[in-house]
């Protein structure tokens, strides 16, 4: 029975965020644990009445604590450049880059700590524990990783349904396979897939059953843009090219309210492509019905 495009599109989701999307707490705690000893040493500066001298003595005795300094400013780097009316300076916090008897070096670090406000943070009890403070900093920095995590959410979701359907990684399903790898493994002639003159085509997943090889693409678009029109046209061409290949089927899983801005191009693809599905289809066992 023919599917209705408007009904299909109306089931598209606003978001695909899972429970791990917002903050990767395992990564946060792992990063903090890696410098927990150094942070505990720096904790001795909290409330210091002579913090400049204490800091110089501490960093001379335990120079490894200096690698924590950028993170206290929410900077994930080992070098920081700063400039003011006294000129500019590149501060280096590399482990093993601390000259043991350089008064200039330690005076510059004191200047950095004072001007950035870190001494004020420590000596005036604005915080009580650097481990707790850095955990908060790491949590904030990890929120910047949502874009990267979001880019893989649709892949991860589709993969979970492939696994649920009983397919086994590297045995009956494979991730990120190029055309030449598919050709070499199953002796399929995929020369009809042109990829419109771009680099050799790579599929997000390939599923192998007794009767068919399925090349799978996945994406989710939470917002619109010109890229969606290009994607719809490209996959329409790919589907038409794949139809001429014996033993190969192209399958596209896509979703996201961003498609509202490119619905006409998506509908054109929907009209000619048999195997185009959304998350709602996945939840209704489309994997088990298609990959046979």
């Amino acid at each position: 029975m023919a599917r209705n495009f408007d009904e299909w599109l109306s089931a598209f989701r606003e978001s695909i965020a899972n429970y791990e999307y917002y903050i990767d707490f395992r990564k946060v705690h792992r990063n903090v644990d890696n410098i927990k000893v150094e942070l505990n040493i720096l904790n001795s500066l909290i409330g210091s009445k002579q913090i400049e001298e204490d800091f110089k003595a501490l960093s001379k005795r335990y120079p490894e604590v200096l690698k924590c300094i950028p993170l206290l400013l929410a900077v994930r780097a080992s070098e920081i450049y700063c400039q003011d009316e006294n000129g500019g300076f590149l501060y280096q916090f590399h482990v093993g880059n601390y000259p043991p008897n350089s008064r200039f070096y330690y005076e510059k670090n004191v200047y950095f700590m004072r001007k950035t406000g870190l001494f004020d943070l420590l000596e005036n009890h604005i915080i009580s524990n650097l481990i707790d403070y850095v955990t908060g900093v790491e949590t904030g920095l990890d929120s910047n990783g949502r874009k990267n995590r979001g880019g893989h959410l649709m892949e991860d979701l589709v993969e979970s349904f492939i696994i649920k359907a009983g397919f086994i990684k590297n045995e009956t399903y494979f991730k990120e396979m190029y055309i030449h790898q598919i050709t070499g493994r199953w002796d399929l002639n995929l020369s009809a897939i042109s990829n419109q003159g771009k680099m050799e085509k790579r599929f997000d997943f390939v599923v192998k059953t007794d009767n068919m090889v399925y090349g799978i693409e996945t994406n989710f678009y939470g917002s619109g843009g010109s890229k969606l029109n290009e994607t719809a046209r490209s996959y329409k061409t790919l589907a038409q090219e794949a139809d001429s290949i014996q033993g190969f089927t192209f399958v596209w899983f896509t979703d996201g309210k961003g498609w509202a801005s490119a619905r006409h191009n998506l509908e054109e693809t929907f009209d000619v492509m048999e195997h185009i599905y959304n998350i709602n289809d996945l939840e209704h066992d489309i994997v088990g019905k298609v990959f046979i």
Side-chain angles (χ1 to χ4, degrees):
M1 187 176 75
R3 295 185 296 166
N4 181 281
F5 175 76
D6 291 329
E7 290 180 1
W8 182 70
L9 187 66
S10 68
F12 278 29
R13 311 293 169 90
E14 293 279 355
S15 171
I16 196 176
N18 58 18
Y19 294 100
E20 292 79 34
Y21 168 73
Y22 297 98
I23 297 294
D24 184 350
F25 279 109
R26 286 175 297 183
K27 177 183 174 184
V28 168
H29 294 310
R30 185 169 62 249
N31 289 347
V32 174
D33 284 343
N34 286 339
I35 56 171
K36 184 174 286 187
V37 171
E38 291 82 0
L39 292 174
N40 273 318
I41 294 172
L42 285 172
N43 269 335
S44 64
L45 296 174
I46 294 176
S48 171
K49 302 303 182 183
Q50 47 182 14
I51 195 165
E52 293 188 2
E53 293 305 314
D54 288 344
F55 173 74
K56 281 191 283 187
L58 193 70
S59 57
K60 287 178 181 178
R61 185 172 182 181
Y62 305 105
E64 62 273 13
V65 301
L66 294 177
K67 69 182 180 183
C68 303
I69 300 303
L71 192 57
L72 301 183
L73 297 172
V75 175
R76 208 181 294 285
S78 57
E79 296 182 349
I80 297 180
Y81 180 85
C82 293
Q83 184 164 336
D84 61 8
E85 67 279 4
N86 295 318
F89 188 76
L90 181 65
Y91 294 88
Q92 298 178 317
F93 301 100
H94 307 284
V95 175
N97 195 45
Y98 316 128
N101 297 306
S102 173
R103 180 179 178 183
F104 171 78
Y105 178 81
Y106 290 105
E107 291 294 339
K108 289 300 292 184
N109 283 344
V110 165
Y111 188 79
F112 178 90
M113 296 289 287
R114 179 62 68 191
K115 295 289 283 188
T116 58
L118 288 175
F119 275 162
D120 183 51
L121 183 77
L122 294 166
E123 67 185 335
N124 292 318
H125 289 283
I126 297 174
I127 59 171
S128 59
N129 187 297
L130 280 171
I131 293 177
D132 293 341
Y133 171 81
V134 169
T135 300
V137 170
E138 282 284 356
T139 300
L141 288 173
D142 187 73
S143 68
N144 296 327
R146 288 176 190 165
K147 183 176 181 181
N148 291 332
R149 287 194 290 272
H152 295 286
L153 285 176
M154 190 64 173
E155 284 184 29
D156 294 343
L157 182 64
V158 170
E159 185 174 14
S160 71
F161 281 98
I162 291 173
I163 294 171
K164 185 179 179 181
F167 294 96
I168 301 171
K169 188 175 182 180
N170 296 328
E171 292 186 20
T172 51
Y173 89 88
F174 306 82
K175 291 189 69 171
E176 299 182 346
M177 285 193 82
Y178 286 93
I179 282 179
H180 79 271
Q181 294 173 310
I182 299 171
T183 298
R185 191 176 189 98
W186 294 293
D187 195 27
L188 275 176
N189 183 359
L190 302 183
S191 60
I193 297 177
S194 64
N195 205 26
Q196 298 176 301
K198 300 176 184 177
M199 293 188 304
E200 181 189 11
K201 177 65 186 170
R202 185 188 74 180
F203 291 96
D204 292 333
F205 298 98
V206 172
V207 168
K208 178 65 173 72
T209 67
D210 291 340
N211 305 308
M212 187 66 62
V213 173
Y214 298 88
I216 302 164
E217 285 291 295
T218 69
N219 43 49
F220 183 95
Y221 294 105
S223 58
S226 59
K227 182 180 179 181
L228 280 76
N229 288 317
E230 179 187 349
T231 299
R233 287 191 294 265
S234 173
Y235 286 178
K236 176 184 176 181
T237 300
L238 179 57
Q240 292 171 328
E241 292 171 343
D243 283 345
S244 67
I245 302 173
Q246 184 89 19
F248 182 82
T249 298
F250 174 51
V251 182
W252 181 19
F253 294 103
T254 192
D255 210 303
K257 289 295 185 179
W259 277 114
S261 67
R263 59 169 292 141
H264 296 300
N265 278 292
L266 183 62
E267 186 172 9
E268 286 183 11
T269 305
F270 180 87
D271 288 341
V272 302
M273 186 174 178
E274 179 182 359
H275 297 292
I276 177 173
Y277 305 108
N278 60 17
I279 294 173
N280 186 60
D281 294 322
L282 283 168
E283 293 172 347
H284 285 83
D285 193 33
I286 197 63
V287 171
K289 297 172 183 175
V290 170
F291 300 147
I292 55 177

